[in-house]
Amino acid sequence: MFSFSKFFLASSLEEAYTELLKNKKNIILGGTSYLRMGNTPWNTGIDLSNLNLNYISETEEFINIGAMTTFRQLETNILLKDFFGDIFNVALRDIIGVQFRSNVTVGATVFSKYGFSDLIPVLLSLDAKVKLFNGGILSLEDFLNEQNIRKDILVEILIPKKYCKTSFQCVRKSKTDYSIINLAICNFNNKITIAVGSRPGKAMLAKKTMAILNLSENIEKEIVNAMKHIGDEIPLDSNMRGSKSYRELLLSALLRKGIQEVLN
Amino acid sequence: MLLTTTINGRKKEILIKDDDYLLDVLRKEGYLSVKRGCDTGACGLCTILLNGSPILSCSTLAARAHGKQISTIENFPKEAKTFASYMTAEGAEQCGFCSPGFTLTVIAMTKELQDPTDDEIMHYLNGNLCRCSGYISQLRAIRNFMEEIKNENC
Ligand SMILES: Cc1cc2nc3c(=O)[nH]c(=O)nc-3n(C[C@H](O)[C@H](O)[C@H](O)COP(=O)(O)OP(=O)(O)OC[C@H]3O[C@@H](n4cnc5c(N)ncnc54)[C@H](O)[C@@H]3O)c2cc1C
Ligand code: FES
Ligand code: FES
């Protein structure tokens, strides 16, 4: 059973980070929905609730999302909808239920790099950046590939403000199950970005497939070609939810559906 | 640690362990309408309202309810009774184990969504599992309940 001996309500990020480094069994608490599934007895649980990290706001260049923002806030936020359409709502609304999504946090999800995540491909397709307390700002793509960041605090997500057409595609065995595969596509001024998750590994950009589409004068005509290539480019695997070959078929079919959505 | 919170309108001071979850604290305090189903965050039986929003008490640390308002189904006797009559009329309930959590989520939904579509209702209630009913009779009951609220507000 998940347990910790001390609840520590941090009054600043510095204080939270210092506490985190004090003991390797000290942890940051997000919504604690995932942590509670584990059996590790932790030492101190560090709570960021008092640090005003629960926000979705904008600056000139970015939309900023605080680490303690919940999925429910993302899926109902007007600013995100204005810039990116329904993608947050569509990607998140089938994750368990409203009560669950009112609890789970953006910071925990992104920092943990979950391979099954429906949120991470969306952020990746929107070219998001990650702000870490100690590690500074880096692209989400670099963050996902970075192996050495273990003890840090994810402070916020930054998404470049671009009005774009988006699409989220996934297949689940039942409504609230994990995705067997998911795909987030963004079209900004006819430049397509494609992120694939639940491969079942960490989400990644389909860069060669993106190049095929983006170098073409007529994206629509290249869709079939892109469908052939994406399976070669994106490593897929089997797990209890689906086989590698099933995922290959789904990926190419979902790609066509998604591209058509962002072109229309 | 000492948790100071308000439960169903009453201020309470409860001695809790730092890592206690709200579900355990509430049941120990005698709020037995708050049920434990899956204990993994997937069934919605343990739903309560925290500052008016539905949350899973099995996944929320009790320490985080400090200074906040907790509501269990007992806080809504009138709505619960009315909703129960529509559920009964539609044959939408059998064992009733899911009822407190489900009814609280429906009450929260009626306050949050204006004129929801069937699809919006179903998405809002995705997290409330019922092993007995087929969901469609529940949907009919919800529609009738919302109609009554609408008429009352006219
Ligand atoms: C039953 C269940 C079903 C799920 N189904 C889906 C699904 O279908 N699709 C999907 O996309 N996701 C799913 N998830 C994952 C969920 O959406 C969240 O991503 C996950 O629960 C983590 O969020 P949390 O707030 O609960 O994190 P916590 O459990 O609090 O923390 C998770 C980890 O992140 C660390 N952490 C927390 N905050 C920070 C921070 N700011 N900086 C650094 N580290 C931090 C914690 O120390 C811990 O190691 C599911 C989870 C559960 C439990
Ligand atoms: S007991 Fe909380 S969701 Fe099932
Ligand atoms: S009526 Fe039995 S679980 Fe819902």
Side-chain angles (χ1 to χ4, degrees):
Chain A
M1 206 179 111
F2 167 61
S3 64
F4 57 86
S5 20
K6 191 176 144 207
F7 181 79
F8 181 81
L9 190 60
S11 55
S12 68
L13 275 167
E14 291 77 14
E15 197 181 57
Y17 186 64
T18 309
E19 195 63 31
L20 183 65
L21 296 188
K22 270 186 193 164
N23 184 316
K24 68 174 192 262
K25 290 225 151 183
N26 290 359
I27 36 146
I28 302 292
L29 305 170
T32 67
S33 290
Y34 207 81
L35 272 172
R36 72 186 299 279
M37 311 270 281
N39 288 320
T40 315
W42 298 95
N43 187 43
T44 300
I46 303 161
D47 190 18
L48 310 178
S49 298
N50 270 7
L51 304 186
N52 297 323
L53 291 175
N54 186 324
Y55 59 83
I56 301 172
S57 60
E58 60 182 320
T59 56
E60 211 161 289
E61 254 185 284
F62 295 106
I63 291 179
N64 306 58
I65 303 173
M68 293 300 280
T69 305
T70 66
F71 280 22
R72 181 74 183 146
Q73 287 171 283
L74 294 184
E75 95 195 60
T76 53
N77 186 266
I78 301 289
L79 190 61
L80 293 174
K81 190 177 161 78
D82 280 351
F83 278 94
F84 314 119
D86 276 335
I87 193 163
F88 283 95
N89 185 282
V90 173
L92 304 180
R93 69 184 176 192
D94 284 322
I95 302 176
I96 312 277
V98 162
Q99 309 92 315
F100 180 85
R101 301 194 302 278
S102 297
N103 193 33
V104 295
T105 60
V106 172
T109 301
V110 176
F111 194 81
S112 303
K113 305 180 183 176
Y114 299 121
F116 56 75
S117 176
D118 293 301
L119 176 64
I120 293 174
V122 172
L123 294 172
L124 201 54
S125 76
L126 299 176
D127 195 21
K129 295 178 194 306
V130 167
K131 183 174 171 186
L132 301 171
F133 177 76
N134 186 49
I137 296 178
L138 65 167
S139 73
L140 173 58
E141 190 190 7
D142 288 346
F143 173 70
L144 291 174
N145 292 328
E146 177 58 71
Q147 308 286 331
N148 295 322
I149 301 172
R150 295 256 152 72
K151 285 260 172 183
D152 207 333
I153 300 175
L154 194 149
V155 180
E156 73 173 8
I157 301 291
L158 301 94
I159 312 179
K161 273 163 78 175
K162 296 188 276 196
Y163 289 99
C164 40
K165 278 205 153 186
T166 55
S167 171
F168 181 83
Q169 303 291 330
C170 72
V171 170
R172 300 171 197 270
K173 276 194 174 150
S174 68
K175 268 242 178 249
T176 58
D177 199 3
Y178 290 100
S179 295
I180 297 171
I181 188 134
N182 58 29
L183 191 70
I185 304 180
C186 166
N187 177 2
F188 174 64
N189 287 346
N190 275 341
K191 185 172 174 281
I192 306 279
T193 311
I194 303 164
V196 183
S198 285
R199 307 179 288 109
K202 261 185 293 184
M204 62 187 287
L205 291 171
K207 289 190 176 167
K208 288 185 192 152
T209 311
M210 282 154 54
I212 290 173
L213 295 165
N214 291 331
L215 291 173
S216 160
E217 295 279 297
N218 185 338
I219 294 177
E220 192 130 31
K221 280 202 173 143
E222 289 298 331
I223 294 181
V224 174
N225 196 10
M227 286 167 69
K228 280 189 205 135
H229 274 84
I230 195 158
D232 297 335
E233 174 184 9
I234 300 288
L236 299 170
D237 216 333
S238 304
N239 68 0
M240 64 187 283
R241 289 200 164 69
S243 67
K244 183 173 188 271
S245 52
Y246 183 44
R247 282 195 166 90
E248 276 164 7
L249 292 170
L250 289 178
L251 179 58
S252 99
L254 294 181
L255 178 71
R256 176 165 63 187
K257 207 167 157 218
I259 301 275
Q260 277 165 348
E261 267 186 27
V262 300
L263 291 182
N264 291 326
Chain B
M1 66 189 284
L2 192 65
L3 169 70
T4 307
T5 186
T6 305
I7 308 180
N8 297 339
R10 289 206 181 165
K11 200 158 177 198
K12 292 258 181 180
E13 289 196 331
I14 310 167
L15 207 55
I16 58 164
K17 284 203 277 130
D18 282 24
D19 57 355
D20 270 344
Y21 275 95
L22 260 180
L23 173 61
D24 301 300
V25 171
L26 288 169
R27 286 188 63 85
K28 248 187 236 158
E29 288 294 305
Y31 298 93
L32 300 180
S33 67
V34 191
K35 309 286 187 214
R36 186 190 308 277
C38 62
D39 219 14
T40 63
C43 74
L45 294 192
C46 65
T47 300
I48 55 154
L49 304 189
L50 193 63
N51 284 355
S53 296
I55 55 129
L56 299 176
S57 61
C58 73
S59 308
T60 304
L61 287 169
R64 283 187 167 159
H66 194 73
K68 296 191 177 152
Q69 312 269 343
I70 293 172
S71 297
T72 67
I73 194 67
E74 288 82 359
N75 209 24
F76 301 95
K78 185 171 167 270
E79 290 97 325
K81 198 171 168 203
T82 312
F83 184 58
S85 68
Y86 285 117
M87 290 284 282
T88 312
E90 294 298 335
E93 188 172 79
Q94 288 177 35
C95 77
F97 197 58
C98 64
S99 277
F102 177 65
T103 307
L104 271 173
T105 316
V106 171
I107 291 170
M109 180 182 71
T110 58
K111 294 185 197 306
E112 196 179 326
L113 304 185
Q114 308 293 323
D115 269 332
T117 60
D118 284 355
D119 191 51
E120 283 168 336
I121 293 175
M122 287 193 275
H123 271 109
Y124 201 98
L125 294 163
N126 255 356
N128 288 87
L129 302 187
C130 173
R131 303 313 308 220
C132 309
S133 85
Y135 296 113
I136 291 301
S137 47
Q138 291 183 346
L139 185 61
R140 283 198 302 267
I142 291 167
R143 277 267 168 245
N144 296 339
F145 177 60
M146 291 186 92
E147 202 54 43
E148 171 159 341
I149 296 175
K150 213 171 166 183
N151 292 337
E152 270 176 12
N153 293 341
C154 278

